[in-house]
Amino acid sequence: MLNLSWIVTVVSIPFTGAPVRTLAASAALALAFAATAQTSQTADDAVLIARDAFRNSEVAAFEKAAARVPADHPMSPYLDFWRYRLKQPDSRTPEALERETELDYLLNLHANTWPAELARRDYLLVLAKRGDWAKFNRQFAQLVSKDDMGSQCLDTLGQAVAGKDVSAAVAQFMAYPKEFPEGCIVMGEQLHEAGKIGHRDIMRRIQVLVENGNNSNATRVYGYLHNRANGKDNGTDPKALETAIEKPSRYLKDLPFRASAHRLELAGIALSRLSRTEPEEVAEWMQKNGSRLDTEVQSWVWSQLGLFSARKWHPEAIAWYSNGKPEQRSREAGEWLVRLQLLRKDWPEVLKAIALLPPDVQADNTWRYWQARARAQTGDIVAARQLLTQLANPFHFYGQLAIEDLGQSIMMPPVPKQPVAPAEIQQIASTPAFQRVLVWYRLNQRTEGFREFNFTLNGMSDRQLLAAAQW
């Protein structure tokens, strides 16, 4: 409830010679402000209640809360899309197809807003599941920000359906260290059903998740493999995976000498887990029994041993790395090998380790800078200066280091000749998108406010960005 005690204080100020009309005007203004704040607070709270009702598919509760939000409230676009989603039946029915005209209307009505962007992403998922790729392509082209991973996965699926080679893109997605968004799950399952993703690809995905500690997600992916057997014995054993993750030493101790290929795959998982705490034990096991594993699994286990021992600066880490093939290393495993070589100041090996990183990782400013340093230390001054010149930029850390290495001074960007005017800031403040940011922040939903703010910056001029920064 809004605290009105401060208003009472204003009204009850003793007369000290100030005109009574001034005190009365102050009290009226305070009461008007309080009423506005109370109305705004009530509407904002109703938005949060409506969102929760939408998430729980409670139509009546949603409409009750939405009725408390004025039509001109900045959060109205969210309510429009949530209402549509609540009324949306199965995406394959004739009714659903008819209602998509309403969705097109809403997308045009609220074009270039974050709520519309989110709605279009959901729509892309519906279209992909339906297999309506012509409409999918039209809608995907209208995304303002195409860096959403779920939408990218669906676009990759569409390209695969069209007969294009998407193996490189799929491999990059499968190396994602966190839980997949739904769009990537749809892509993975459909490509697996089409035979374009095999058992080994899915096991690599499980390895990635285990390496990054996402064991519950790894278990779910493995469960998908098990359930795909439809009751038949395909060698998968969810309980065995659980033991390999939770009790790796026990799993390895109980591993039969003539274990199946699937059990040996899970031995790799157990060894990865054990590498975190008992690297010497894993190294000994690999020396004695490593030949029992598939060559890819062997290399991956050695990379795990190298990675987790490198984090602790273990003296054997580099030797363990060298026992496996570089192509089985994850991005992080490869980066830690570079760090180890930097710690040793072995500049030729630094260059070799950077060269083994995936191209997109080599392009990272961090490794571009250290490649330049390594070039300089190995006598290739021309190449080093060329790399540093390309990297020099006052707006990021390694760019600043490059400027200093070139013997230059870091210069701040010039101050605008014409300062941002109050009217420009006011124009930003009155924008509905920024009003929505304030609502999210008032509701203590900072993540939503942050996303809305960042999206709204898309396409702004430098002057508008300066105004937004001073808002």
Side-chain angles (χ1 to χ4, degrees):
M1 180 178 293
L2 188 66
N3 186 353
L4 301 180
S5 59
W6 64 279
I7 298 175
V8 175
T9 302
V10 172
V11 176
S12 60
I13 294 175
F15 181 72
T16 57
V20 174
R21 72 179 63 183
T22 302
L23 292 176
S26 299
L29 180 61
L31 287 169
F33 175 83
T36 302
Q38 183 71 59
T39 302
S40 175
Q41 184 182 43
T42 301
D44 292 354
D45 291 340
V47 170
L48 206 56
I49 295 171
R51 186 193 66 174
D52 292 341
F54 160 70
R55 290 177 172 177
N56 296 323
S57 300
E58 298 171 349
V59 177
F62 171 84
E63 292 297 352
K64 182 178 179 181
R68 294 165 50 194
V69 182
D72 60 350
H73 194 277
M75 301 296 278
S76 292
Y78 283 104
L79 296 175
D80 287 344
F81 288 116
W82 291 340
R83 181 178 288 109
Y84 172 82
R85 285 282 305 283
L86 281 173
K87 294 179 180 179
Q88 173 73 8
D90 188 314
S91 63
R92 291 176 174 81
T93 63
E95 293 83 2
L97 296 174
E98 291 177 4
R99 285 187 58 79
E100 285 180 8
T101 303
E102 177 184 344
L103 178 58
D104 289 336
Y105 168 77
L106 292 175
L107 290 171
N108 289 327
L109 178 65
H110 304 302
N112 299 317
T113 66
W114 181 236
E117 187 81 353
L118 293 175
R120 181 167 274 114
R121 291 178 184 178
D122 291 339
Y123 189 26
L124 289 172
L125 185 62
V126 170
L127 294 172
K129 288 181 176 179
R130 186 195 300 160
D132 190 344
W133 294 108
K135 186 172 288 187
F136 176 94
N137 291 334
R138 290 196 296 271
Q139 291 295 333
F140 184 79
Q142 295 182 63
L143 281 177
V144 175
S145 178
K146 293 183 173 60
D147 59 356
D148 171 59
M149 184 175 174
S151 301
Q152 289 177 343
C153 282
L154 294 174
D155 182 54
T156 300
L157 174 60
Q159 293 180 45
V161 171
K164 297 181 180 179
D165 180 10
V166 296
S167 55
V170 171
Q172 190 170 2
F173 289 132
M174 297 295 269
Y176 182 63
K178 300 179 182 179
E179 183 177 6
F180 268 170
E182 188 176 359
C184 293
I185 294 174
V186 170
M187 177 201 72
E189 291 182 352
Q190 291 198 21
L191 290 181
H192 183 237
E193 290 174 3
K196 296 184 178 181
I197 288 181
H199 173 89
R200 189 74 204 103
D201 298 308
I202 296 178
M203 287 306 301
R204 287 195 196 98
R205 173 71 186 146
I206 292 170
Q207 290 173 348
V208 168
L209 293 170
V210 170
E211 175 183 317
N212 288 277
N214 293 321
N215 300 324
S216 59
N217 293 329
T219 302
R220 281 196 289 271
V221 175
Y222 192 77
Y224 163 79
L225 270 181
H226 182 71
N227 294 333
R228 286 283 298 166
N230 294 322
K232 298 178 182 179
D233 183 10
N234 65 351
T236 57
D237 185 350
K239 290 186 177 179
L241 174 64
E242 182 179 344
T243 303
I245 290 175
E246 301 298 333
K247 301 175 181 178
S249 292
R250 175 181 168 184
Y251 183 90
L252 294 170
K253 182 180 179 181
D254 295 343
L255 187 68
F257 180 76
R258 296 186 180 278
S260 67
H262 289 292
R263 292 298 301 271
L264 289 172
E265 282 181 328
L266 298 186
I269 299 295
L271 290 163
S272 169
R273 294 286 295 162
L274 200 58
S275 294
R276 297 169 181 263
T277 55
E278 305 293 339
E280 291 85 0
E281 182 180 334
V282 173
E284 182 180 357
W285 193 97
M286 287 295 292
Q287 294 291 353
K288 292 180 179 179
N289 305 290
S291 60
R292 298 167 60 190
L293 304 178
D294 177 270
T295 54
E296 286 190 12
V297 177
Q298 288 182 49
S299 287
W300 180 70
V301 171
W302 284 118
S303 80
Q304 296 295 281
L305 193 53
L307 167 62
F308 295 120
S309 59
R311 289 176 176 175
K312 300 177 181 178
W313 308 117
H314 195 290
E316 296 296 323
I318 291 178
W320 290 335
Y321 265 119
S322 66
N323 287 331
K325 296 180 179 179
E327 54 265 28
Q328 299 304 323
R329 295 174 193 157
S330 66
R331 168 179 179 152
E332 188 171 3
E335 289 177 321
W336 270 99
L337 178 57
V338 181
R339 294 185 183 105
L340 281 175
Q341 302 294 11
L342 284 169
L343 182 68
R344 298 172 67 226
K345 296 184 179 179
D346 190 336
W347 298 105
E349 290 300 322
V350 168
L351 286 174
K352 290 180 183 178
I354 292 176
L356 291 173
L357 295 173
D360 62 312
V361 182
Q362 291 185 44
D364 186 273
N365 291 333
T366 304
W367 307 123
R368 290 171 64 201
Y369 174 77
W370 285 113
Q371 183 184 9
R373 287 288 303 273
R375 293 285 182 196
Q377 293 292 332
T378 54
D380 194 349
I381 304 300
V382 174
R385 288 190 64 84
Q386 184 178 7
L387 286 168
L388 291 172
T389 301
Q390 294 171 354
L391 186 63
N393 189 316
F395 294 108
H396 57 79
F397 176 69
Y398 285 100
Q400 293 177 359
L401 291 182
I403 291 173
E404 292 179 341
D405 287 355
L406 290 168
Q408 303 171 5
S409 299
I410 299 173
M411 305 294 293
M412 293 298 293
V415 176
K417 295 181 179 179
Q418 184 179 357
V420 176
E424 292 177 281
I425 299 175
Q426 179 56 39
Q427 185 177 12
I428 290 292
S430 62
T431 302
F434 287 112
Q435 289 298 310
R436 287 193 290 273
V437 172
L438 291 180
V439 173
W440 285 127
Y441 274 54
R442 283 198 296 266
L443 294 171
N444 200 30
Q445 305 294 308
R446 299 187 68 85
T447 299
E448 285 80 354
F450 178 76
R451 290 170 178 167
E452 179 108 37
F453 182 83
N454 277 352
F455 178 83
T456 306
L457 298 181
N458 283 321
M460 281 191 169
S461 66
D462 287 346
R463 296 291 300 180
Q464 290 172 316
L465 290 173
L466 286 170
Q470 296 181 42
W471 170 50

